[in-house]
Amino acid sequence: MYLSSRIRAFAAGTALLAASALVQAQALPNVVILATGGTIAGAGASAVNSATYAAAKVGVDKLIAGLPELSKIANVRGEQVFQVASESLTNENLVTLAKRVSALSKQADVDGIVITHGTDTVEETAYFLTLTVHTNKPIVMVASMRPGTALSADGALNLYDAVSVAGSKDAMGKGVLLTMNDSIESGRDVSKNFNIKPSAFVSQWGSLGMVVEGKNYWFRAPVKRHTMNSEFDIDAITTIPNVEIAMGYEGVSPTAIEALGKSGIKALIHGGPGNGSVADRIVPYLQKVRSDGIVVIRSSRVPDGFVIRNAEQPDDKYDWVVAHDLRPQKARILAMVAMTKTTDTKELQRIFWEY
């Protein structure tokens, strides 16, 4: 009889623990990790290979299984959307990913979304999602500068921080974010400024905040239009127009501009030096491009600052658009999205000011 009482007590205790675990799981936020590849899913030949490795090798299930600490901060599940090094992503990939993010954001059982991504183009994908996904739920991009096999690998902590931020109510309504190196960056503003350091990503306007041991510390908020306040909606977009970039430099020839002008593009970003400067011999070729119906957008290859309209070039006279503070690669993203709705240069200029 004593043994029977012990068994009943053990069973009751086990049931109580199971019920407690269920309550705890129900109290945690539900976060979906969408994996696309990149260094965070990479592997090197040895632990000292932090800069030479193969990207996009580890699946999302292994990433999650390798970080059991995630179960303490969120109910996590993963989906492998792509397994691609980010420099090889296409416009079609962007649309596919954004539509999946949009669909998940509408589910009541999803509180936040994390997207693992390669560092080379994560800023571009982040901006595309910022412009096109209508949700207040946190969308957090995450990447790493070192593969998980390297000494001092940064991916695990970056991913932990991303899940923590994605499950936080105070991250709602701040647009698409990027967590790297303890910082919380705006997907619109952030850029990769170094190719091998963990501190590679910065914004000229500063981080939005930091995440330390699972706690968010916020210092500023985005003021440009994004997500729920965007006039663009990925649910209504099936394809995006082709937009290309031609860089300006000392001794530049018109070869690239002439070729791109005949390629069927809808807009051409000119990434000039300084204030988006255009060499005198290049101006007629950009004028020709514009006369052929292709929108010309002046951007700057300089990391910080912004292009001033009608300075350096008479933009009003030439019917050109200026990219404000967007670098060429981000100006391209906004141009592609904007031109799903309009090709009017005055409207496009408004969009570049507002987004």
Side-chain angles (χ1 to χ4, degrees):
M1 186 168 180
Y2 174 73
L3 182 59
S4 177
S5 297
R6 290 287 300 272
I7 291 173
R8 285 197 298 271
F10 177 77
T14 301
L16 185 61
L17 287 173
S20 176
L22 179 61
V23 170
Q24 182 181 7
Q26 290 173 337
L28 291 174
N30 298 313
V31 175
V32 178
I33 298 176
L34 299 180
T36 69
T39 300
I40 197 167
S46 76
V48 297
N49 292 126
S50 63
T52 55
Y53 52 85
K57 294 296 181 184
V58 181
V60 65
D61 291 339
K62 284 189 176 181
L63 284 178
I64 294 172
L67 196 56
E69 293 82 0
L70 293 178
S71 64
K72 298 177 182 178
I73 58 172
N75 300 314
V76 176
R77 63 182 176 88
E79 293 182 17
Q80 193 76 46
V81 185
F82 314 117
Q83 187 65 290
V84 182
S86 66
E87 71 274 11
S88 297
L89 289 170
T90 65
N91 290 351
E92 291 73 23
N93 291 148
L94 282 179
V95 171
T96 298
L97 177 62
K99 285 185 178 295
R100 184 58 186 143
V101 173
S102 178
L104 285 169
S105 72
K106 293 177 174 63
Q107 294 183 196
D109 62 346
V110 175
D111 298 306
I113 300 164
V114 169
I115 302 161
T116 66
H117 201 286
T119 59
D120 280 354
T121 61
V122 66
E123 65 196 78
E124 295 164 64
T125 299
Y127 192 35
F128 186 80
L129 297 175
T130 292
L131 295 169
T132 61
V133 177
H134 282 208
T135 185
N136 280 328
K137 293 180 180 180
I139 301 171
V140 185
M141 310 293 298
V142 65
S144 72
M145 293 300 295
R146 295 170 177 164
T149 52
L151 295 173
S152 298
D154 55 329
L157 182 56
N158 288 346
L159 181 56
Y160 180 89
D161 287 348
V163 171
S164 175
V165 172
S168 303
K169 293 187 183 302
D170 60 11
M172 296 180 66
K174 291 183 170 65
V176 177
L177 308 171
L178 171 72
T179 58
M180 293 278 293
N181 202 41
D182 301 331
S183 292
I184 307 172
E185 303 285 351
S186 160
R188 178 202 184 269
D189 298 340
V190 73
S191 288
K192 184 176 182 178
N193 271 22
F194 207 101
N195 67 332
I196 52 176
K197 285 186 177 181
S199 57
F201 285 83
V202 298
S203 162
Q204 67 166 318
W205 309 122
S207 301
L208 299 183
M210 291 185 67
V211 54
V212 181
E213 295 182 354
K215 180 175 175 55
N216 302 334
Y217 297 86
W218 301 99
F219 301 105
R220 71 176 184 94
V223 297
K224 297 291 187 179
R225 292 177 65 177
H226 61 78
T227 52
M228 288 299 291
N229 294 320
S230 175
E231 65 201 84
F232 312 106
D233 186 349
I234 191 60
D235 293 345
I237 296 172
T238 54
T239 59
I240 47 181
N242 289 330
V243 176
E244 293 289 350
I245 300 170
M247 299 301 292
Y249 47 89
E250 198 171 85
V252 63
S253 80
T255 304
I257 293 171
E258 285 188 297
L260 290 172
K262 299 172 183 176
S263 67
I265 61 172
K266 299 302 181 183
L268 178 65
I269 312 295
H270 181 270
N275 184 33
S277 302
V278 182
D280 53 6
R281 63 186 172 279
I282 296 300
V283 170
Y285 293 93
L286 289 180
Q287 289 177 304
K288 173 64 165 59
V289 164
R290 181 68 195 110
S291 69
D292 289 340
I294 298 169
V295 174
V296 173
I297 301 168
R298 278 200 309 121
S299 180
S300 176
R301 70 184 198 187
V302 176
D304 295 336
F306 53 91
V307 176
I308 301 171
R309 187 170 177 83
N310 293 316
E312 296 291 344
Q313 293 295 328
D315 298 297
D316 289 346
K317 177 182 176 181
Y318 296 158
D319 197 28
W320 293 350
V321 176
V322 298
H324 195 30
D325 64 333
L326 297 176
R327 295 185 185 184
Q329 64 270 28
K330 285 198 171 180
R332 174 181 171 270
I333 293 292
L334 181 53
M336 290 193 303
V337 171
M339 293 183 75
T340 62
K341 282 204 164 187
T342 183
T343 58
D344 181 80
T345 52
K346 289 185 174 57
E347 268 295 281
L348 290 171
Q349 188 61 75
R350 173 191 65 81
I351 289 165
F352 270 88
W353 294 142
E354 294 182 7
Y355 291 85

